[in-house]
Amino acid sequence: MKILVTGGAGFIGSNYLHYVVNKYEEDFYVCLDALTYAGNYENLKPIADKKNFKFVKGDITDKELVEKLFDEEKFDAVINFAAESHVDNSIKNPSIFLTTNIIGTQTLMDACRRHDVKRYHQVSTDEVYGDLPLDRTDLLFTENNPIHTSSPYSASKASADLLVLAYCRTFNFPATISRCSNNYGAYQFPEKLIPVVISKALNDEPIPVYGKGENVRDWIHVHDHNVGVDLILRNGKIGEVYNLGGHSERTNLDVVKTILKQLNKPESLITFVTDRPGHDLRYAIDSSKVEKELGWERTYNFEDGIKETIDWYVSNQDWINNIKTGKYKESYKA
């Protein structure tokens, strides 16, 4: 197969490409990424010279570029990782989230329809479900939960999901959707909780924690997430939504303390700051559907996964420093 992977220079997308480019040498992967601030070509250096990989710089909202690429490459499948994803940024500037996450999705699907692409997969988030109460640990998000968004980011992702499902019904469009919990692992842009804490702790800087740090997230290792995405692309039922969760719920404060403990840093670095507007209380995913139907299994528990992740950031501080200095923006030469 020839597969287009959009947003492949980002955190989850680059990890996906590392996995599949090496696993499926008979398939060919084209990465389309606009290399906006969170897209980092350095993430793709380990596979840049592989014979079954090609990188194209471009925006999924650019209809002319997308059409030309589809016409040249004759894709069999498309996986859309491309998205603006930082909640705080969506609160400050919602418009770019609506453009990339909704219009970009439409642009890709319209190109797929014109070129008779056989499979399209939309990578989404558990944030489209809203949140769960902290005192009801028995409640989990299932695929049947209603959409109930809290931020411009989650609203834009939910809108894209609804558009994908509408295309399935109206046009018999061959699409699937996955909704994952919070990812962690190597190559995560240092604006998200775990890399922020690691980076600041290594430099003995104050670590900001929203509110009291009581908000709960379900953490999934990026590799397990990507194995699930690949399974759904190849074997998922068209028109279906699949949840991918880590079964590793932790409060934000617990995650911070876990990182500090491994790095032998004092908890006195923790600084509680004003809570995020509309901050979701708790996420927790029921993944039983994808487990039963497709045989997906997690290989990481949080304790082992976070240790491996911390070790990677400690061993790759140049990667973080290149982002802090802006040098990473020079990593791609056309």
Side-chain angles (χ1 to χ4, degrees):
M1 290 197 298
K2 180 174 280 191
I3 302 172
L4 174 65
V5 179
T6 67
F11 163 46
I12 302 175
S14 62
N15 275 281
Y16 177 80
L17 283 165
H18 293 174
Y19 170 59
V20 295
V21 166
N22 288 300
K23 181 175 181 179
Y24 303 107
E25 294 184 354
E26 71 280 7
D27 291 338
F28 191 89
Y29 293 88
V30 177
C31 172
L32 175 65
D33 198 295
L35 296 181
T36 54
Y37 82 95
N40 186 352
Y41 187 71
E42 286 187 4
N43 297 354
L44 298 172
K45 290 292 180 68
I47 58 171
D49 295 328
K50 294 282 187 177
K51 293 181 180 179
N52 62 334
F53 174 76
K54 174 182 177 180
F55 178 80
V56 177
K57 184 180 180 182
D59 195 314
I60 62 171
T61 64
D62 186 336
K63 294 182 180 180
E64 183 177 345
L65 180 148
V66 168
E67 183 66 25
K68 181 181 178 183
L69 185 62
F70 273 68
D71 191 49
E72 291 175 351
E73 299 292 347
K74 307 291 190 294
F75 296 113
D76 298 295
V78 173
I79 305 177
N80 183 24
F81 286 99
E84 295 289 339
S85 65
H86 194 356
V87 174
D88 289 348
N89 289 347
S90 81
I91 294 170
K92 297 172 186 173
N93 181 17
S95 61
I96 190 173
F97 286 74
L98 306 185
T99 301
T100 298
N101 298 353
I102 304 173
I103 301 303
T105 297
Q106 179 205 356
T107 301
L108 289 172
M109 291 196 298
D110 285 346
C112 286
R113 291 184 62 224
R114 284 191 295 268
H115 294 269
D116 196 28
V117 172
K118 299 298 186 291
R119 291 299 293 251
Y120 174 92
H121 183 71
Q122 179 77 2
V123 179
S124 188
T125 170
D126 61 354
E127 294 191 42
V128 302
Y129 297 124
D131 61 357
L132 297 166
L134 293 175
D135 60 353
R136 288 294 306 277
T137 56
D138 57 310
L139 296 179
L140 303 173
F141 292 136
T142 73
E143 291 83 357
N144 294 322
N145 271 70
I147 284 175
H148 187 72
T149 60
S150 304
S151 68
Y153 161 61
S154 58
S156 68
K157 291 296 289 184
S159 299
D161 286 4
L162 292 174
L163 190 61
V164 172
L165 294 174
Y167 269 51
C168 289
R169 177 161 180 169
T170 303
F171 305 118
N172 292 318
F173 187 64
T176 47
I177 297 171
S178 58
R179 293 173 178 159
C180 67
S181 54
N182 282 42
N183 280 231
Y184 68 99
Y187 299 105
Q188 187 168 28
F189 197 79
E191 64 182 0
K192 300 297 180 74
L193 177 65
I194 288 175
V196 162
V197 174
I198 296 170
S199 178
K200 289 186 176 296
L202 288 171
N203 293 300
D204 296 309
E205 297 174 0
I207 296 168
V209 175
Y210 283 128
K212 297 179 181 179
E214 295 174 337
N215 304 71
V216 173
R217 298 295 179 259
D218 175 25
W219 293 94
I220 184 172
H221 192 280
V222 66
H223 174 75
D224 286 340
H225 175 203
N226 283 325
V227 170
V229 167
D230 187 57
L231 273 173
I232 296 166
L233 175 75
R234 295 172 185 275
N235 302 315
K237 183 179 177 182
I238 288 172
E240 291 291 316
V241 176
Y242 296 91
N243 284 348
L244 295 165
H247 285 196
S248 295
E249 292 183 52
R250 300 288 189 283
T251 68
N252 290 342
L253 187 58
D254 285 340
V255 172
V256 173
K257 288 182 177 180
T258 296
I259 295 170
L260 290 174
K261 182 177 180 181
Q262 182 169 325
L263 293 174
N264 293 314
K265 297 293 184 176
E267 292 184 5
S268 58
L269 290 175
I270 296 171
T271 303
F272 295 101
V273 299
T274 303
D275 207 357
R276 168 191 288 163
H279 200 176
D280 285 334
L281 294 175
R282 172 177 169 257
Y283 302 149
I285 274 194
D286 180 347
S287 304
S288 58
K289 177 179 177 179
V290 71
E291 292 167 7
K292 293 175 182 176
E293 293 187 11
L294 303 182
W296 176 73
E297 297 178 341
R298 284 168 295 276
T299 58
Y300 280 88
N301 60 50
F302 186 76
E303 288 73 23
D304 292 338
I306 193 65
K307 183 179 186 304
E308 178 188 282
T309 299
I310 294 169
D311 289 343
W312 186 88
Y313 283 100
V314 170
S315 300
N316 290 272
Q317 292 186 58
D318 286 347
W319 182 87
I320 296 178
N321 291 333
N322 285 345
I323 291 176
K324 288 182 176 180
T325 62
K327 186 179 179 181
Y328 77 105
K329 295 179 181 178
E330 304 167 6
S331 61
Y332 175 71
K333 307 296 182 183

